[in-house]
Amino acid sequence: ETTTIPETTTTKAEETTTVQPTTKPDVDTTGKNVKKGGYVKKNVSAYNLKLEEVTEVEKGVCYYVYKECNNGYSLIKVGNQELLVETKYITYKCNAKKIVNTSDKKYSYSDMKVDLKKLEKAYGSILKVDIAGKSLDKRNLYYVTLGNAKAKKTVYVETSVHAREYMNTKFMMKVIEDYCRGYDTKKYKGKKYSTIFNNVKLVIMPMVNPDGVDLVTGNLSKNSSAFIQAQNIALKYPDIPFPSGWKANILGTDLNLQFPAEWQKAKEIKYSQGFTSPAPRDFVGLAPLIEPESKAIYNFTLLHNFDLILAYHTQGQEIYWNFQNINPPNGYEIGEKFAKASGYLLTDVPYNSSFAGYKDWFILYFDKPGYTIEAGLGENPLPISQFDEIYNDNLGILILGAIS
């Protein structure tokens, strides 16, 4: 027995039906190239290339503007999308609110964390915020990337390795904000910031020792195990004020004495000075790279292969540029430029402090320019009255580091 498949019939109406397009065509986006950061004058709608509303863009946020189209719209970058906004709402004058509070006497980890979130929201087209690791007390070691991620040259800057030197974190956060605010408008010696940063990737870790900073700034609960542990350590060193004299991480290890650059020599010196156990300062640790913060910086540096590093400390208005008899190529010449720009003294590290530091290891291992910069002058923690001077003295160093 065979199965007969019924014949299908087509009506005349079906023969003449055509399929209608389900999407609108893209609009014409020809126009004048802009290729710089811009802002919207108020919160407005952003559209896809079919002029369908996708999202709202916010006043006070920097968006990368590709072009001003002939159709009255501008093509901008919103997240990972290219969207259209009416050109009449675009301005190239920064209208973002100022974020970093430079009058805040004590700048804590939580202050920095909040500011980083605001900076990333306002200037996400310019900077990126990531995490390199965690501190002993599980705070994030944040870092900011500015400039061209694909640039051949990478410069690294770190601050607040020592807890009582938190002034540098505030200074560096303000620098980050001001770079972003003036990215397409401000110049250094005739060059726009955007031109400078197009040729370099600048990586900044504004707080290497967040646990210690929170201890010194009073942002660590006195009932916490970390505070009680630090207090017990400090009792063994009554001549060092607590917590204002604290430099170490929360476990009592000096993070700038943790690197494999004649660490044993550093140990001999510091032990002879009486720092033979965890202390508010100058204890080298039980071995190199034993603390999570120093280990994170070590691995982070190996991963990124920096071309030049700036390790910021306070105080002394001095720049240290070499390690023992190792003078990296162009190290002194670049250091001279830094000294001229800042008015600081380019000099050698005092012998008893010249081993096992981050800058020491960087020069020893990579044979590239590395600098410890002692900003400001006086007794740590430095007073807020020095902020403007530190900012003005060091802004040129950071730019020169990028272009040298």
Side-chain angles (χ1 to χ4, degrees):
E1 185 175 315
T2 59
T3 302
T4 303
I5 301 175
E7 292 183 8
T8 58
T9 59
T10 303
T11 66
K12 191 170 183 180
E14 289 174 326
E15 286 177 349
T16 58
T17 299
T18 58
V19 178
Q20 298 296 322
T22 57
T23 59
K24 295 189 292 185
D26 290 353
V27 299
D28 182 10
T29 59
T30 56
K32 180 179 70 174
N33 287 333
V34 176
K35 296 184 178 180
K36 66 178 182 179
Y39 301 79
V40 289
K41 298 174 183 177
K42 63 178 184 177
N43 291 9
V44 295
S45 296
Y47 306 89
N48 62 21
L49 299 186
K50 304 178 190 307
L51 286 186
E52 299 165 334
E53 186 174 355
V54 174
T55 188
E56 184 179 74
V57 289
E58 297 180 49
K59 178 182 178 181
V61 174
C62 184
Y63 300 98
Y64 186 79
V65 183
Y66 295 101
K67 63 173 67 174
E68 292 180 0
C69 307
N70 296 330
N71 59 8
Y73 290 85
S74 287
L75 187 65
I76 70 172
K77 184 176 182 181
V78 183
N80 294 321
Q81 299 183 83
E82 294 182 9
L83 300 179
L84 293 166
V85 169
E86 289 184 76
T87 299
K88 66 182 180 182
Y89 295 124
I90 297 289
T91 177
Y92 297 101
K93 182 178 179 181
C94 178
N95 61 16
K97 292 181 180 179
K98 291 188 177 180
I99 294 168
V100 180
N101 180 8
T102 58
S103 64
D104 184 8
K105 293 182 180 179
K106 294 183 176 181
Y107 196 78
S108 69
Y109 169 77
S110 60
D111 291 331
M112 179 193 70
K113 186 177 179 180
V114 169
D115 286 350
L116 284 173
K117 186 174 181 179
K118 290 179 180 178
L119 286 168
E120 190 171 35
K121 179 180 180 181
Y123 305 107
S125 62
I126 299 172
L127 64 76
K128 186 178 180 183
V129 179
D130 285 299
I131 298 169
K134 287 189 178 292
S135 68
L136 192 72
D137 208 27
K138 306 303 180 186
R139 290 172 178 80
N140 292 330
L141 303 182
Y142 290 104
Y143 69 95
V144 174
T145 304
L146 285 162
N148 184 354
K150 298 179 180 179
K152 293 181 179 180
K153 181 177 181 179
T154 305
V155 174
Y156 171 67
V157 184
E158 66 176 27
T159 71
S160 292
V161 174
H162 288 148
R164 66 187 188 183
E165 299 170 10
Y166 57 83
M167 171 74 82
N168 281 332
T169 294
K170 183 177 359 185
F171 148 64
M172 199 58 60
M173 290 292 290
K174 186 59 178 173
V175 166
I176 292 169
E177 180 178 16
D178 286 352
Y179 280 177
C180 291
R181 289 185 68 87
Y183 197 78
D184 288 296
T185 55
K186 285 190 176 181
K187 296 180 180 180
Y188 181 81
K189 292 188 175 180
K191 284 188 176 181
K192 283 187 177 180
Y193 285 177
S194 55
T195 302
I196 293 170
F197 288 121
N198 191 49
N199 296 310
V200 67
K201 180 168 73 172
L202 181 60
V203 180
I204 301 173
M205 190 174 295
M207 192 177 289
V208 174
N209 184 6
D211 302 345
V213 168
D214 269 6
L215 173 68
V216 176
T217 57
N219 287 277
L220 201 62
S221 169
K222 293 183 178 180
N223 296 321
S224 66
S225 59
F227 183 91
I228 293 168
Q229 177 180 250
Q231 192 173 45
N232 289 335
I233 290 171
L235 290 173
K236 300 176 184 178
Y237 298 88
D239 293 338
I240 301 174
F242 179 80
S244 64
W246 194 276
K247 291 174 65 177
N249 76 345
I250 205 65
L251 198 60
T253 298
D254 190 321
L255 297 175
N256 206 40
L257 293 170
Q258 269 278 285
F259 291 86
E262 298 198 39
W263 178 86
Q264 191 64 38
K265 186 66 178 177
K267 179 180 177 181
E268 292 171 9
I269 293 170
K270 298 306 178 183
Y271 270 50
S272 71
Q273 295 173 345
F275 298 99
T276 58
S277 63
R281 61 178 175 86
D282 291 337
F283 178 59
V284 299
L286 300 176
L289 304 175
I290 203 169
E291 301 299 336
E293 299 93 344
S294 55
K295 186 70 173 179
I297 299 302
Y298 175 85
N299 288 332
F300 188 67
T301 303
L302 292 177
L303 179 65
H304 286 82
N305 191 26
F306 302 122
D307 295 289
L308 183 149
I309 64 98
L310 301 171
Y312 264 91
H313 292 260
T314 57
Q315 49 76 45
Q317 296 184 339
E318 294 183 328
I319 301 171
Y320 305 136
W321 69 280
N322 62 356
F323 174 62
Q324 305 309 311
N325 294 320
I326 301 174
N327 304 323
N330 298 316
Y332 186 77
E333 292 76 11
I334 295 172
E336 282 187 312
K337 293 179 183 179
F338 292 166
K340 183 178 180 180
S342 62
Y344 289 3
L345 176 66
L346 182 66
T347 187
D348 297 334
V349 188
Y351 180 79
N352 285 345
S353 301
S354 63
F355 303 97
Y358 172 66
K359 178 268 297 177
D360 307 328
W361 167 73
F362 182 81
I363 292 174
L364 177 66
Y365 190 87
F366 292 99
D367 194 27
K368 295 178 181 179
Y371 304 88
T372 296
I373 300 174
E374 297 284 356
L377 193 63
E379 183 178 345
N380 287 316
L382 293 177
I384 189 64
S385 59
Q386 289 203 30
F387 178 86
D388 289 343
E389 183 179 2
I390 289 173
Y391 181 95
N392 292 328
D393 287 347
N394 287 275
L395 191 61
I397 292 179
L398 293 162
I399 295 288
L400 287 168
I403 63 180
S404 295

